[in-house]
C-alpha cells in the first residue's frame, strides 16, 4: 500500500493509515458532539469520513465563540469524477451547519509540476470547468472565496515566503518522498497548499480524502511558532473505483470512474459492465446463498453517498444478502440514483456560470481577500 498526494496504490488499509499518519479515528462520542449542531449526513453517519486531527478543538472553538474557518481544494488536470466531489459535499455540510468562511484553492500549478506530460495549457482548459463543478455543490457565495494560485499569487506569495523559510529539504523529502530527480517546482508546491491555513487567525478545518494529510503535517510543525493555529482536518476514505472496494477512483482509469459529465447511457453501461459485484455466479446460486454487500461496489456507493434513507438502505442490504435481490436489480437502483444526481448536478453547473464572479471576486469574502492592503500584503 502506498498513499501520497500524488500516488495511491494497492489495497488501502485505513486503520493502518491512521496509525502511520498519526491521525485519530472519529469515534461515536465525537459524532454525537457534531450531531448537536446539525443532522449528520450519510458520509459522517456511516463512517466514510473516518479520521481527523483536532476536530474536538474545532468544536471547542466554535462553542466558545472563537469560531473557525474551512479550507479545501481541487487541482485541475482533467474532468472531475464523482469521488472528487465527496470532500466538497462534506465541506458544504460543515459550512451549512456552522455558517463559517470557506477558502477553496484551485492550484493551477500542482498537477503541471507533478505530472511529466501535463502542460499548463491542458490544465488551463479544465480550470473553469472544475470551478463550475465545485460551485454546483452549493456553497454560500458571500462566505466562500475560490481562487486560482497563478491568478491570486499576490495574496499568497508573502505568506508562502514566510512558511518556506521554515521548511527544510530533509523534512520535505521525508514527508513527500522527494528525491534528487524531483523538480524544484513540486518541492516548493507544498508551501502553496499550506498558505490558506494562514488566511485567518482562527483554527482552520480542512476536509479532504486522506491522501492530502501529508501537507498538514508540515503546517502543524510550524504554525504555532508563527503565531497561528495548527490546522485541523477531517479525512474521508476514497470513493472506490467500480472494479473493487479496496482502491481509489482515479481520473486515469476512465472505465472504472464515473465522471460528472458522463451521459445516462455511459453510467448504465459502466455500472452494468464494471461494478464489482458481491453476488453469486448464477441466479440459482444467488437465490440460495445470497450476495455479499460488504464487497459489492454498487451497495457501497449507495451506502457512502447515493441512498440517504437508512431504512431503504437496510432493506437493500438485507434483500441482497438473503438472495431476494439480484445483482442486476441492485445495479439498476444505483444507475437510477447516479443519473438523477448527475442530471441535477448538470442543471446546477449551468446555473453556476452566473455565480462564478461572485465566488472569485465580488462576494463578501472574495472582496475582502482581494483587498491586499487591508490584508497587510
Ligand atoms: P485533487 O484535485 O486530486 O482532488 C480533489 C479532492 O478530492 C479528493 N479525492 C477523493 N475523494 C474521495 N474519493 C476519491 N476517489 C478521491 N480522489 C480524490 C482529494 O483528497 C481532494 O480533497 N492537492 C489537492 C488540491 C488541494 C486541496 C487543498 C485538497 C489544494 N488545497 C486543500 C484538499 C484540501 C489535489 O490535488 O486534489
Amino acid at each position: 500500500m502506498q498513499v501520497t498526494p500524488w500516488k495511491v496504490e494497492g489495497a488501502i488499509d485505513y486503520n493502518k493509515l491512521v496509525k502511520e499518519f498519526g491521525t485519530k479515528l472519529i469515534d461515536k462520542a465525537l459524532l454525537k458532539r457534531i450531531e448537536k449542531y446539525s443532522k449528520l449526513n450519510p458520509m459522517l453517519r456511516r463512517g466514510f469520513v473516518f479520521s481527523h486531527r483536532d476536530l474536538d478543538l474545532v468544536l471547542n472553538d466554535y462553542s466558545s465563540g472563537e469560531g473557525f474557518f474551512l479550507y479545501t481544494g481541487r487541482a485541475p488536470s482533467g474532468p472531475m469524477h464523482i469521488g472528487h466531489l465527496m470532500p466538497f459535499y462534506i465541506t458544504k455540510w460543515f459550512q451549512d451547519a456552522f455558517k463559517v468562511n470557506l477558502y477553496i484553492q484551485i492550484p493551477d500549478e500542482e498537477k503541471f509540476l507533478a505530472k511529466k506530460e501535463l502542460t499548463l495549457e491542458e490544465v488551463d482548459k479544465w480550470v473553469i470547468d472544475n470551478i463550475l463543478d465545485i460551485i454546483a455543490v452549493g456553497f454560500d457565495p458571500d462566505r466562500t472565496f475560490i481562487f486560482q494560485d497563478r491568478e491570486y499569487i499576490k495574496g499568497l506569495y508573502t505568506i508562502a515566503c514566510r512558511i518556506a523559510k521554515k521548511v527544510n529539504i530533509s523534512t520535505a523529502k521525508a514527508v513527500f518522498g522527494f528525491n534528487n530527480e524531483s523538480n524544484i517546482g513540486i518541492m516548493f508546491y507544498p508551501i502553496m497548499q499550506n498558505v490558506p491555513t494562514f488566511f485567518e487567525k482562527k483554527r482552520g478545518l480542512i476536509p479532504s480524502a486522506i491522501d492530502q494529510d501529508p501537507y498538514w503535517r508540515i503546517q502543524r510543525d510550524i504554525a504555532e511558532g508563527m503565531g497561528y493555529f495548527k490546522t485541523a482536518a477531517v479525512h474521508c476514505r476514497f470513493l472506490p473505483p467500480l472494479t473493487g472496494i479496496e482502491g481509489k477512483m482515479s481520473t486515469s482509469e476512465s472505465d472504472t470512474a464515473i465522471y460528472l459529465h458522463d451521459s445516462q447511457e455511459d453510467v448504465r453501461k459502466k455500472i452494468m459492465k464494471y461494478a464489482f459485484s458481491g453476488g453469486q455466479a448464477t441466479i440459482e446460486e444467488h437465490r440460495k446463498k445470497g450476495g455479499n454487500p460488504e464487497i459489492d461496489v454498487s451497495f457501497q456507493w449507495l451506502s457512502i453517498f447515493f441512498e440517504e434513507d437508512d431504512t431503504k438502505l437496510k432493506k437493500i442490504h438485507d434483500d441482497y444478502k438473503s438472495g431476494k435481490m439480484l445483482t442486476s436489480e441492485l445495479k439498476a437502483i444505483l444507475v437510477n440514483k447516479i443519473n438523477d444526481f448527475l442530471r441535477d448536478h448538470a442543471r446546477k453547473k449551468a446555473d453556476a456560470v452566473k455565480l462564478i464572479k461572485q465566488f472569485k471576486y465580488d462576494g463578501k469574502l472574495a472582496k475582502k481577500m482581494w483587498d491586499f492592503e487591508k490584508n497587510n500584503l
Side-chain angles (χ1 to χ4, degrees):
M1 168 176 83
Q2 192 189 6
V3 176
T4 76
W6 305 295
K7 202 167 178 192
V8 176
E9 256 178 20
I12 299 157
D13 178 340
Y14 288 101
N15 286 324
K16 198 165 157 203
L17 278 182
V18 165
K19 278 208 194 100
E20 268 177 24
F21 285 9
T23 67
K24 286 192 184 140
L25 287 171
I26 296 181
D27 59 18
K28 286 235 162 70
L30 190 51
L31 280 183
K32 265 227 156 78
R33 269 193 82 188
I34 313 173
E35 201 170 14
K36 272 198 236 143
Y37 300 99
S38 183
K39 187 175 176 285
L40 299 179
N41 69 11
M43 287 183 280
L44 284 158
R45 202 162 71 222
R46 298 178 187 149
F48 182 66
V49 183
F50 73 109
S51 147
H52 77 104
R53 291 183 185 271
D54 290 350
L55 180 56
D56 42 346
L57 301 186
V58 169
L59 296 176
N60 292 350
D61 287 354
Y62 184 75
S63 57
S64 74
E66 209 144 314
F68 69 96
F69 66 96
L70 288 160
Y71 159 46
T72 193
R74 153 75 185 160
S77 63
M80 285 174 74
H81 58 59
I82 287 187
H84 291 131
L85 275 195
M86 301 290 118
F88 287 99
Y89 272 95
I90 297 160
T91 306
K92 176 178 162 51
W93 184 89
F94 277 98
Q95 189 179 52
D96 289 348
F98 297 96
K99 308 277 179 282
V100 289
N101 286 345
L102 160 64
Y103 301 91
I104 300 181
Q105 181 175 41
I106 308 294
D108 52 2
E109 79 279 47
E110 178 183 3
K111 299 270 164 84
F112 165 70
L113 295 167
K115 293 185 175 193
K116 242 198 179 117
E117 334 69 51
L118 192 67
T119 63
L120 275 179
E121 289 71 25
E122 184 62 19
V123 168
D124 288 346
K125 263 201 256 169
W126 291 104
V127 168
I128 296 299
D129 182 77
N130 286 188
I131 291 177
L132 294 175
D133 279 323
I134 292 166
I135 292 176
V137 172
F139 298 106
D140 176 345
D142 277 319
R143 287 199 181 95
T144 305
F145 177 45
I146 302 181
F147 60 95
Q148 294 154 229
D149 284 5
R150 280 159 47 228
E151 182 186 20
Y152 187 64
I153 187 65
K154 185 171 188 305
L156 305 171
Y157 197 57
T158 302
I159 307 172
C161 291
R162 293 205 171 101
I163 310 171
K165 199 169 173 179
K166 305 248 178 234
V167 183
N168 61 34
I169 293 179
S170 64
T171 304
K173 277 184 171 169
V175 174
F176 296 101
F178 295 134
N179 57 41
N180 284 352
E181 273 63 57
S182 307
N183 71 69
I184 56 179
I186 197 62
M187 290 184 77
F188 187 77
Y189 173 73
I191 303 301
M192 300 304 288
Q193 185 153 333
N194 271 310
V195 167
T197 66
F198 295 83
F199 276 171
E200 294 190 19
K201 281 222 167 162
K202 288 179 185 174
R203 207 179 303 275
L205 174 65
I206 312 174
S208 76
I210 187 83
D211 61 333
Q212 300 297 309
D213 185 74
Y215 288 108
W216 323 139
R217 261 176 263 161
I218 290 200
Q219 197 274 0
R220 288 170 60 88
D221 278 350
I222 60 173
E224 286 180 342
M226 295 171 67
Y228 287 80
F229 284 92
K230 285 186 183 182
T231 192
V234 286
H235 311 107
C236 65
R237 297 167 196 260
F238 298 111
L239 186 73
L242 289 172
T243 37
I245 53 157
E246 284 172 326
K248 170 198 169 187
M249 183 184 283
S250 161
T251 314
S252 46
E253 285 161 59
S254 60
D255 284 342
T256 69
I258 300 284
Y259 295 98
L260 299 173
H261 65 243
D262 274 348
S263 70
Q264 312 256 303
E265 191 48 27
D266 285 342
V267 170
R268 199 187 62 78
K269 275 197 198 139
K270 284 188 191 178
I271 302 284
M272 290 302 171
K273 185 160 175 197
Y274 297 108
F276 184 82
S277 158
Q280 306 296 340
T282 65
I283 292 186
E284 293 70 43
E285 210 183 327
H286 187 84
R287 294 276 187 228
K288 225 189 284 161
K289 294 188 187 155
N292 181 356
E294 306 319 316
I295 59 163
D296 189 288
V297 169
S298 303
F299 180 79
Q300 291 304 320
W301 280 24
L302 287 171
S303 164
I304 291 166
F305 190 74
F306 290 101
E307 181 51 79
E308 285 210 18
D309 186 321
D310 289 346
T311 318
K312 282 189 190 156
L313 188 74
K314 182 167 186 318
K315 184 158 169 30
I316 295 170
H317 177 275
D318 294 351
D319 286 355
Y320 191 59
K321 203 167 176 175
S322 73
K324 193 170 159 200
M325 180 181 282
L326 299 174
T327 298
S328 56
E329 293 167 323
L330 175 60
K331 286 189 172 186
I333 295 175
L334 181 66
V335 169
N336 284 337
K337 286 276 180 186
I338 294 179
N339 280 337
D340 286 350
F341 173 80
L342 290 183
R343 210 178 298 119
D344 196 43
H345 180 81
R347 188 179 49 74
K348 290 177 181 157
K349 186 172 177 177
D351 289 346
V353 175
K354 55 180 182 295
L355 296 173
I356 203 164
K357 264 185 73 203
Q358 209 176 343
F359 280 100
K360 285 185 67 185
Y361 311 109
D362 301 342
K364 245 195 206 151
L365 183 62
K367 240 198 200 119
K368 180 174 157 265
M369 293 306 288
W370 281 100
D371 190 342
F372 295 126
E373 265 166 44
K374 220 192 222 156
N375 289 325
N376 261 334
L377 295 175

